[in-house]
Amino acid sequence: MSYKIAVVSGKGGTGKTAFSISLFNFLRSNLERSKVTIVDCDVEEPNISLFLKDKTKFYHKLITQDVAVIDEERCKFCKKCSDYCAFNAIVVIPRARYAKVDSSLCHSCGACYLACNYDAIGTKQYVAGEVDGYKISSNSYMYEGRLKVGSPMQTFLIGELKKELPQDDTITIYDSPPGTSCSVVETLSGSDFVIIVAEPTAFGIHDMLLVRELADNLDKPCGIVLNKVEDVERAVEYIPSQHRNDFLGALPYSVEFAWNYACGELSYSNEERLKESYFKIFSKLFINEGADCFKR
Amino acid sequence: MITVITSTADNISAPFDKRFGRAEWFCFYDSEKDMVSFQKNEFSNVSNGAGVRVAELMVEKGVKKIISGDFGPKAKEILKKFSIQMVVADKKRVEEIIELIK
């Protein structure tokens, strides 16, 4: 069976990626007969590949979008397309008989195509980003989307990235971008379970509640992990009482871990208390929270 | 000849606006008539494509020279195509710039 877990945060920098990779490493070493795939959906700044040193690239694809182009021979320079364009991608200057679409601003929405009465709008392929696939070990894989710098098409690219994933028996971890916007919604869609990695600060809890509400609206079951906690035993107190059932566990604050992370190393295995906390969370996730993949 | 100076408000003693596409106001200076007029930038708060749409406006208005703090790459492309001179300045107030080009 396949099972998809999305790791989100709301606030940035709470430890989504560190958690995702730790979960990935845990699963691939403990479930040797299952295939495990980690997917870097943070296409504006993918970084999982930095932490997986032994990898072999086996897949590469350029992802293109159909951007609008205006045929200046047919164009009557009426500006209707430009009025329809919500992204200010179209410049029409009637007296210069100039009409052009800026490809880097075009979202491929098709509004200009509908607007034009003179059949002057066509399309061309324009690169939005790329998808790469890596083999990490005999049972584990990593995929990442990489948005072209300056492209506004992150949501589109995440959708395309998901289409490139093999549709077979695998446990998939989606490492989400921060926030609660379209790109996060796209990452959550199709997932079976959502893990929110939050910080025990006013800002962290506020954003955790936003993303919790988003998961609710999408009918996704949720688990909450608190990261960088001073007192792990009392961590649950940071979570509003109505959401405490979702609490999976807490990870202790560690300067050493952060230091090593900045050097591209996930060092929890050196620290007993971190390792222990991670193990508790993973156990709870798979035994208690109805995450069916462990009940096989 | 019409020169545009990006401005933070609708009068010549206003501070110069160093942004082009997202400038608050445009000061149109007509050197033949020695006249100044102001227009609010309706694109200053759009989520994207401000520079492109303002560049379009400049071409439509027949502007020949624009004085601002910087020009984005997309706006630059259009202004260059229509031979509108881009001047990068670092002055405090709009009237100082008008004095310089008079």
Side-chain angles (χ1 to χ4, degrees):
Chain A
M1 63 176 280
S2 77
Y3 192 82
K4 301 182 181 74
I5 302 165
V7 180
V8 302
S9 71
K11 182 184 173 298
T14 65
K16 283 181 300 298
T17 303
F19 184 86
S20 299
I21 302 171
S22 303
L23 178 62
F24 173 68
N25 287 337
F26 175 83
L27 292 174
R28 69 196 180 100
S29 51
N30 286 287
L31 300 177
E32 280 162 15
R33 273 177 289 172
S34 295
K35 191 171 148 189
V36 186
T37 306
I38 188 166
V39 185
D40 200 337
C41 294
D42 194 1
V43 299
E44 286 177 85
E45 46 230 331
N47 62 345
I48 288 179
S49 62
L50 300 175
F51 295 94
L52 300 171
K53 308 265 189 298
D54 287 325
K55 56 184 183 291
T56 318
K57 194 193 267 197
F58 68 93
Y59 188 78
H60 175 80
K61 189 179 176 186
L62 274 183
I63 303 295
T64 57
Q65 59 176 124
D66 289 332
V67 295
V69 273
I70 299 173
D71 180 348
E72 282 173 316
E73 300 289 309
R74 291 187 173 192
C75 181
K76 301 278 185 268
F77 307 96
C78 70
K79 291 192 131 190
K80 195 173 166 193
C81 57
S82 165
D83 291 341
Y84 269 55
C85 182
F87 306 102
N88 289 314
I90 304 178
V91 172
V92 180
I93 302 164
R95 63 181 186 85
R97 301 187 62 76
Y98 178 92
K100 284 245 163 17
V101 179
D102 189 314
S103 302
S104 65
L105 289 170
C106 177
H107 281 56
S108 305
C109 70
C112 54
Y113 181 81
L114 288 175
C116 185
N117 298 331
Y118 308 102
D119 200 19
I121 310 242
T123 58
K124 68 169 183 187
Q125 302 258 296
Y126 184 75
V127 174
E130 55 192 16
V131 168
D132 289 305
Y134 299 87
K135 186 171 176 148
I136 309 299
S137 69
S138 60
N139 70 329
S140 61
Y141 298 85
M142 190 272 278
Y143 281 81
E144 71 167 24
R146 198 168 279 268
L147 189 71
K148 189 167 111 178
V149 173
S151 169
M153 301 299 285
Q154 50 274 56
T155 306
F156 164 78
L157 183 61
I158 294 166
E160 294 299 303
L161 165 64
K162 287 186 160 184
K163 285 184 202 162
E164 299 303 320
L165 303 176
Q167 300 298 316
D168 56 2
D169 236 16
T170 176
I171 300 172
T172 309
I173 302 160
Y174 296 134
D175 186 28
S176 166
T180 45
S181 63
C182 303
S183 50
V184 178
V185 175
E186 185 68 40
T187 305
L188 288 186
S189 70
S191 65
D192 300 299
F193 192 78
V194 177
I195 297 176
I196 306 170
V197 181
E199 270 174 11
T201 58
F203 187 7
I205 298 299
H206 171 270
D207 279 18
M208 180 268 282
L209 291 174
L210 287 180
V211 79
R212 179 70 186 69
E213 194 182 332
L214 171 65
D216 255 359
N217 289 336
L218 296 172
D219 277 332
K220 304 287 180 195
C222 255
I224 298 169
V225 171
L226 283 184
N227 191 16
K228 304 186 235 178
V229 177
E230 299 275 358
D231 184 355
V232 171
E233 298 308 315
R234 299 185 62 185
V236 69
E237 292 169 21
Y238 287 105
I239 299 175
S241 51
Q242 70 271 31
H243 298 304
R244 285 186 189 167
N245 282 340
D246 298 339
F247 183 61
L248 288 174
L251 297 165
Y253 178 69
S254 162
V255 175
E256 193 196 335
F257 183 85
W259 181 275
N260 289 323
Y261 184 87
C263 301
E265 304 287 341
L266 281 181
S267 64
Y268 63 91
S269 51
N270 304 334
E271 281 192 65
E272 250 349 279
R273 58 189 186 119
L274 254 177
K275 203 172 167 181
E276 201 183 294
S277 303
Y278 263 117
F279 194 78
K280 270 191 197 161
I281 291 169
F282 296 152
S283 308
K284 189 167 183 196
L285 168 63
F286 294 116
I287 295 160
N288 297 352
E289 294 291 327
D292 297 328
C293 70
F294 229 55
K295 293 180 181 165
R296 57 182 66 222
Chain B
M1 189 181 85
I2 299 170
T3 300
V4 159
I5 302 150
T6 49
S7 172
T8 53
D10 60 350
N11 58 78
I12 57 166
S13 52
F16 175 57
D17 199 325
K18 289 181 180 172
R19 301 162 303 174
F20 171 65
R22 297 190 184 277
E24 292 292 327
W25 289 81
F26 298 117
C27 168
F28 289 80
Y29 174 67
D30 187 330
S31 55
E32 277 125 56
K33 299 178 194 150
D34 192 25
M35 264 175 56
V36 166
S37 64
F38 283 84
Q39 184 177 332
K40 188 149 180 58
N41 179 10
E42 56 174 305
F43 300 108
S44 67
N45 283 319
V46 295
S47 57
N48 37 27
V52 168
R53 296 305 301 275
V54 171
E56 178 188 64
L57 177 76
M58 296 297 142
V59 178
E60 280 178 341
K61 291 258 177 190
V63 174
K64 291 280 173 270
K65 185 195 279 187
I66 302 164
I67 302 171
S68 188
D70 201 2
F71 299 85
K74 293 170 199 135
K76 235 181 220 173
E77 198 184 309
I78 295 168
L79 297 174
K80 215 167 160 183
K81 189 174 172 69
F82 289 94
S83 306
I84 298 174
Q85 192 187 354
M86 291 167 266
V87 181
V88 174
D90 186 18
K91 286 278 176 256
K92 287 194 174 58
R93 286 178 300 125
V94 173
E95 59 193 344
E96 291 176 67
I97 294 168
I98 295 176
E99 282 310 311
L100 283 175
I101 58 174
K102 257 183 184 173

